[in-house]
Amino acid sequence: MYSFADVEERLVEAMLVMRRMSDREAGWLRVKACWPDIVRERNAGDYDARGGDMGPAPLRPLPASRRDIADMEEAFGWVMAVKPEERKLIGLAITALSRGVKQVPWMQLRKPMGVKLGADGLRMRYGRAMHKVTKAANAAISKALLCQTV
């Protein structure tokens, strides 16, 4: 059985997997020709001679695996159990948590949600909506277990 924190953690992981996925449309828009542009370095004599002041190349995140995408789709499927305005609130809160903040900045979420007062009310709405999502996740688990035992 999933707890509130487990479901929230799975949704944050799903958001991180979604960020790792490539944007195919943007990739096609960047294509200029069949051959890549050549950037010449005036100070480097050979292709391997990059000079001493250049640091290591930044590592790109690995592309999402099929298992990662399946877990992401499962977690986002749980959110379909709530109303669209509650989904928006969950999406904003999970996006903030996936950026690495410890707590959701409720005061900053008032404007995107169209609320002038009541950041505490947003927090309580989020708690109720996530409770419904947690119930949906646990229902999916129990349904999967029932199917295995038959």
Side-chain angles (χ1 to χ4, degrees):
M1 300 297 281
Y2 287 120
S3 68
F4 183 94
D6 294 336
V7 172
E8 194 174 54
E9 183 180 339
R10 276 285 299 272
L11 288 172
V12 169
E13 289 173 7
M15 186 66 71
L16 294 174
V17 168
M18 192 172 71
R19 284 187 189 160
R20 285 188 354 212
M21 293 175 62
S22 63
D23 185 5
R24 293 176 61 187
E25 182 180 359
W28 280 106
L29 292 174
R30 275 196 303 265
V31 173
K32 291 189 265 184
C34 297
W35 210 241
D37 293 337
I38 297 174
V39 178
R40 300 201 185 272
E41 298 179 20
R42 295 193 182 268
N43 296 336
D46 196 4
Y47 290 111
D48 293 330
R50 293 209 170 261
D53 59 344
M54 295 183 73
L59 296 175
R60 291 187 208 165
L62 292 174
S65 67
R66 290 182 182 183
R67 178 71 180 168
D68 293 338
I69 293 173
D71 291 343
M72 176 193 72
E73 289 176 348
E74 179 187 22
F76 285 156
W78 299 336
V79 180
M80 297 305 289
V82 297
K83 296 178 184 174
E85 59 270 5
E86 294 172 339
R87 276 186 244 147
K88 180 179 179 180
L89 179 60
I90 289 173
L92 290 170
I94 294 298
T95 301
L97 290 174
S98 68
R99 289 188 188 124
V101 297
K102 298 291 181 190
Q103 291 181 339
V104 179
W106 298 112
M107 293 296 283
Q108 295 173 4
L109 296 185
R110 289 183 314 164
K111 187 173 181 180
M113 287 300 296
V115 176
K116 293 187 190 268
L117 299 172
D120 192 48
L122 283 178
R123 182 187 57 78
M124 291 173 22
R125 279 176 55 191
Y126 172 75
R128 286 190 297 268
M130 283 297 291
H131 179 69
K132 292 177 188 175
V133 172
T134 304
K135 284 173 55 176
N138 288 328
I141 287 176
S142 62
K143 183 179 175 183
L145 289 175
L146 284 175
C147 292
Q148 289 178 357
T149 57
V150 172

